[in-house]
Amino acid sequence: MSERGTMAERDSRIAGTFVPGSQAALDALMSELCGSVAALRDALPGDPVAVVSPHAGYAYSGKLAAAAWSTTARLSPQRIAILSPAHHAFFDGIAVPTGHDAIRLLDRRHRIDTRAVQALIRSGLAYGHDLAFESEHGIDTQLPFARHFHPRVPVVPIVTGRGPTAQVARLIDRLDRMDGQTLFVLSSDLSHFYAQSKATSVDGQAARFLETTQPSLITPIHACGAQALSGWLQSRAGRAARALRLGMHTSYNTTNDAARVVGYGAWALFAPETDILDAASRQTLLTVARQALVSRLNKGLAPVVDAATFAVPLRTYAATFVTLEQAGVLRGCVGSMVPHLSMVEDVAKNAVRAGFDDPRFPPISVTDLRALSISVSVLTQPVALDVADEDALAAALVPGKSGAILMNGSQRGLFLPSVWSSLPDPADFVAGLERKAGLAGRPWDETMQVQVFRAEAFSEAAAVSEVA
């Protein structure tokens, strides 16, 4: 294959099965699907670096695929890397196309980034294996969305065979280092051929493992694209990425057959410094925090939150902190160091704990509640930081941005990024963190562990201003 020679095409075989059989019908369906998720695209404050998109027939998962792709609409990537599992070919390693440099689906030609393909081959991370692409719907179902949202951007088709997910992670990082932005599309459905109740449970596990960054727990039982999902979470590009759930359902929604279903889900994956919650989601979380305090005061019990009744993004697993202030003075602050509940459940739980279980303060009263201002912080995944001493830690932190966790055995302390407002000097920030962990004055050695994170923080006052 020549990078500058005559275009060699592969004809896609999905027309009439996974997608409509005519170009006019496909164009009309794409307009319908993508138009239905325009509000999602416009509401998100940031842009993702990767998405998880299902690859079933559009009648089953087209709306979810449209939701995933719509979050990328503002991006201007240099290339789009589509990673699919092998559904029809069986091979070892990772395959890229070498016998064609374009894919034709109905009347549309989709160009391949042959330079990126050759770079992957030269790196030894992938090899040419055209048979893997002949009937691969995991690649081809994504092409109409690529053209709709990024009409002039070439794709890098990648099919994963048998092999270690670490190789997939290295391939992702190789693409991420190339000139210009690479948008990653992780093409995957979820569970296959369980009864509806079992599928819902297994798909829920897949969501939790993805959203809490547990790559070793994602298996082909959870997702046919397990290698791509796990590889993304293991890569440098993806290990601290923030996941936002966009939607989940099964084929039951289309067939009404609960006996044997396939699960589907869509996620947007953001860089850790990117805000991911729209104004409505932020306002909902603040309202939930206040209502949880009201419920605890009125009934003496923390409320039971049914996450399924809230918007899908708020069902994303995330670690949160809730901070209470009275006349600008701290009145309580409690949170989770690691994600273990949905975002909305975690906020409700931590609001009650901040109001009634923070050992530094007495429980709040009805009078206190009227004067309280509530802030919520949604944490990114903490990442281990290898530092030798306090000075190295102070140098590694980004004032105003970094949160930090200091641990030694059972002793630990956490500072949110908001602490920089009272401790703006990095040395003072680190000293305060040591005091909070009960480790002040203790010599640093290999038992000291540090993790850093970012936080998306918002408060009632800011929310009111935003809405107004």
Side-chain angles (χ1 to χ4, degrees), residues 237-257:
R239 65 174 181 164
R242 308 182 67 189
L244 185 69
R245 192 184 307 185
L246 304 174
M248 293 176 66
H249 64 237
T250 72
S251 56
Y252 173 78
N253 286 31
T254 301
T255 65
N256 289 321
D257 180 1

Side-chain angles (χ1 to χ4, degrees), residues 213 239-242 272-273 319 337-339 378-387 389-390 392-399 401-407 413-417 420 429-430 433 444 449-455:
T213 314
R239 65 174 181 164
R242 308 182 67 189
E273 65 274 11
M337 289 189 179
V338 294
V378 181
L379 277 55
T380 67
Q381 292 286 347
V383 176
L385 186 65
D386 186 12
V387 290
D389 54 31
E390 296 99 323
L393 175 56
L397 297 174
V398 180
K401 302 289 187 182
S402 298
I405 305 170
L406 179 63
M407 300 171 287
L414 180 148
F415 270 177
L416 295 171
W420 288 101
F429 186 96
V430 172
L433 182 62
W444 278 59
Q449 297 180 329
V450 177
Q451 294 178 331
V452 293
F453 60 90
R454 299 286 182 100

